Amino acid sequence: MSGIQAIFRTTEPSRRMSRVAASALIGAALTGCAVGPHLPPPTIPQPARYTQKALPQKIGGQQRLRWSDQAYARWWTTFASPGLDRIVDQVLQHNPDLAADRASLARAKALVAAAQGGLMPSIGANLGADRSKALRTGADGGSQYKVPGNLYSLILGTVSVQYNPDVFGGQEDLVHAAKARTEVQSAQLRQAQIFVIAATMNAAIDGAQAQAQLQAAQHIARADERLLTLLRAEYKLGYQNLQNVEQQQAITDAAQARLAPLEASVSAARHALDALLGSMPNRPVNLPALKRLHLPQNIPVVVPSALLKTRPDIEAARAEVRVASANADVATANLYPQLDITGSIGKAAQTGMLFFNPVSTLWSLGASLVAPIYEGGALTAERQAAMDAYHEAANRYRATVFDAFRQTADALRALQSAHTACKHSKASAKAAAKALKLAVAKYRDGVVDYNALLNAEIAYQEDTVAAIKARSTLYLDNVALFVAMGEGPDLQVKPHEDGNQRPDTQVQHHPGNRT
């Protein structure tokens, strides 16, 4: 028997002992269990309603609240603007921030697979060949002199297996933590989708508001110019004094000065939509007209008991608690011994023919148990830090829930207030327009002087702008309510496909829906 074979071979009693040891280790692995504290998720009592007083079913105008236990996916379609629908769908497909979040989610899923690999045995192979010339000592076996030995070759091939039975569940806890991180990334992607949709809607509505204000300002500027021309003619005929002409000139110049900032606001809204679409600002984007936007007759409102499931930030905070709980389990498992089982089988021979001979077979089976005895308190401190991280995540989860209910309550009240403000602003603008029309007619007939006409003109300008802003605020408050309830497309649904039926929330095109 060669020296190499003597090294790798074992005796028959040793083989029997190895079998017994392997059986014992396998039994220990099968009866093992996780030792972590398994901290439970925090529980929060859910209110019966969002506000102290129950909200009326008719929140304002033609809008009514329709309570539901599910989020409405394509809520932006309730504004009945096909052009706006196309922009939102394109943003969901091409927005670079969403693409980055999708990549983060894919990375988190890959890390779950990597963590799960730790629960399986690892298998490796090694194949090598070597030719050497050994040194041999003198005949007396001493080390006084050495002479060159014979040339020899060695062919060695082995397959090795290593397995950690995870007796105390540390690796399984790592898998749980990785899965919880995936849930965090998934919720954050949903949250990013909702924010991007809201940003798109807000940019479009702001642009429509600026466009409406610009059109109104242009109309007012033309009216001021006509009135200035009239005053100048009257001044030349001696019917008007110079002070009134100069005052009207100042008003006309101020009306012209308001046009440039409004034009810049329209451009800024288009540029914002370009950025959301992941394109340069030189790309033309058609903004919807404010008067073409409609409000949903039936607003799908999530009941308080379902808000914990629909809000992605709550879902992410809850998943963070699961991550912290799993990390606490991992830190606890690190206090216990770690068991490793290793085995290998292979061939070792000096020639190729002997390599495939059974006599050249080598094998080994072993196990190791590594237990922490003294680590200077590091492992205990790490476990305490993990427990503290859990309590931090649990309290942040509670804060997120409380803030979510606050945002929803604020959004409902803001929408109710916006309806009231829009109603009165609209009535005020109509009254101011009638008053200005009468003042112009009376001025031409000589019934009133220029000061009365000027006051009517200023009131009309202010009330017209206020009505446009109030109508825009009403649309924005509708968007804010959808965002507060966490409504938006599901990750498994393409932007233009979802299972929601729209008849209940689809707007019927008749004047009663316009604000």
Side-chain angles (χ1 to χ4, degrees):
M1 180 182 297
S2 65
I4 298 174
Q5 293 173 330
I7 293 174
F8 286 92
R9 285 192 176 276
T10 60
T11 63
E12 185 63 27
S14 299
R15 293 181 183 178
R16 287 194 296 269
M17 292 178 62
S18 300
R19 294 191 188 101
V20 173
S23 301
L25 292 174
I26 293 174
L30 293 176
T31 59
C33 61
V35 294
H38 307 304
L39 300 170
T43 57
I44 297 180
Q46 301 174 12
R49 55 176 179 262
Y50 291 110
T51 56
Q52 285 184 335
K53 297 181 180 180
L55 293 169
Q57 184 178 4
K58 188 175 181 180
I59 192 118
Q62 299 296 323
Q63 288 194 292
R64 295 178 179 273
L65 301 180
R66 181 176 63 83
W67 298 96
S68 173
D69 59 351
Q70 293 181 350
Y72 185 68
R74 292 175 59 81
W75 54 265
W76 59 91
T77 60
T78 61
F79 288 83
S81 175
L84 187 56
D85 296 346
R86 287 192 295 270
I87 292 176
V88 173
D89 288 340
Q90 291 174 4
V91 166
L92 289 176
Q93 293 177 4
H94 304 295
N95 183 265
D97 291 327
L98 294 183
D101 290 332
R102 293 189 188 100
S104 297
L105 177 58
R107 179 175 61 87
K109 291 181 178 179
L111 292 177
V112 171
Q116 289 173 334
L119 297 173
M120 305 298 293
S122 61
I123 303 175
N126 178 37
L127 179 64
D130 183 37
R131 184 166 177 80
S132 304
K133 187 173 184 179
L135 295 176
R136 61 180 182 178
T137 59
D140 59 354
S143 58
Q144 296 299 324
Y145 67 95
K146 294 182 179 181
V147 297
N150 298 326
L151 289 172
Y152 70 94
S153 298
L154 178 62
I155 303 174
L156 180 63
T158 58
V159 175
S160 59
V161 180
Q162 183 176 4
Y163 177 54
N164 183 341
D166 196 26
V167 177
F168 299 104
Q171 188 63 37
E172 185 69 29
D173 294 330
L174 289 175
V175 174
H176 293 162
K179 289 182 178 179
R181 291 189 187 96
T182 301
E183 295 174 2
V184 172
Q185 291 295 332
S186 178
Q188 290 178 348
L189 176 55
R190 282 193 61 237
Q191 181 83 341
Q193 283 184 336
I194 294 174
F195 284 166
V196 166
I197 294 171
T200 304
M201 295 292 294
N202 290 342
I205 294 172
D206 288 341
Q209 173 191 344
Q211 206 164 233
Q213 285 186 264
L214 177 60
Q215 294 171 355
Q218 290 171 341
H219 174 74
I220 292 172
R222 289 192 295 267
D224 289 339
E225 187 67 34
R226 288 193 297 268
L227 182 57
L228 178 61
T229 302
L230 177 62
L231 290 177
R232 284 174 176 172
E234 292 178 348
Y235 174 73
K236 290 180 180 180
L237 296 175
Y239 299 136
Q240 194 61 258
N241 59 56
L242 182 60
Q243 179 181 353
N244 291 341
V245 175
E246 294 297 335
Q247 188 172 4
Q248 183 60 33
Q249 179 67 58
I251 293 175
T252 303
D253 291 339
Q256 292 291 336
R258 285 192 290 268
L259 299 180
L262 292 173
E263 291 173 349
S265 297
V266 173
S267 298
R270 288 196 174 99
H271 298 163
L273 290 176
D274 282 327
L276 290 167
L277 287 165
S279 61
M280 294 299 178
N282 58 352
R283 180 177 179 270
V285 177
N286 294 325
L287 293 173
L290 192 63
K291 62 182 180 181
R292 296 291 183 184
L293 295 177
H294 300 257
L295 295 174
Q297 281 188 330
N298 298 313
I299 306 176
V301 182
V302 178
V303 296
S305 59
L307 189 66
L308 300 183
K309 299 178 182 179
T310 60
R311 288 269 304 210
D313 57 340
I314 295 179
E315 182 183 351
R318 188 165 51 243
E320 289 284 7
V321 173
R322 288 195 289 269
V323 171
S325 176
N327 288 337
D329 294 342
V330 172
T332 303
N334 289 338
L335 297 173
Y336 291 83
Q338 302 296 320
L339 175 64
D340 280 322
I341 301 175
T342 59
S344 66
I345 187 171
K347 297 277 190 175
Q350 293 182 343
T351 64
M353 294 182 63
L354 288 176
F355 186 82
F356 296 99
N357 194 304
V359 74
S360 62
T361 301
L362 310 173
W363 66 269
S364 66
L365 178 64
S368 64
L369 190 65
V370 180
I373 297 177
Y374 178 72
E375 300 287 344
L379 295 179
T380 304
E382 290 175 359
R383 183 181 184 277
Q384 183 59 48
M387 297 286 290
D388 294 337
Y390 165 80
H391 293 300
E392 176 187 357
N395 285 305
R396 292 191 185 280
Y397 168 74
R398 294 188 182 93
T400 302
V401 172
F402 295 145
D403 195 55
F405 278 89
R406 177 194 62 80
Q407 291 176 4
T408 306
D410 289 347
L412 287 167
R413 286 301 187 190
L415 182 59
Q416 191 178 29
S417 175
H419 270 289
T420 302
C422 186
K423 175 184 177 181
H424 292 298
S425 296
K426 187 176 180 180
S428 177
K430 287 182 178 180
K434 291 180 180 179
L436 178 60
K437 185 177 180 179
L438 291 174
V440 171
K442 289 182 178 181
Y443 178 78
R444 291 182 183 276
D445 295 337
V447 177
V448 298
D449 59 3
Y450 171 73
N451 289 331
L453 176 61
L454 179 61
N455 292 333
E457 182 184 10
I458 294 174
Y460 170 74
Q461 293 178 3
E462 293 177 349
D463 291 342
T464 299
V465 173
I468 293 174
K469 289 183 177 180
R471 184 168 57 187
S472 175
T473 300
L474 182 57
Y475 293 140
L476 293 174
D477 285 340
N478 271 266
V479 173
L481 178 58
F482 284 116
V483 173
M485 292 182 296
E487 299 192 285
D490 189 79
L491 297 182
Q492 284 73 35
V493 180
K494 294 182 180 179
H496 58 281
E497 297 176 358
D498 65 277
N500 291 53
Q501 301 296 324
R502 295 196 292 172
D504 291 339
T505 53
Q506 182 61 45
V507 176
Q508 303 296 325
H509 294 271
H510 56 77
N513 286 331
R514 295 188 181 182
T515 304

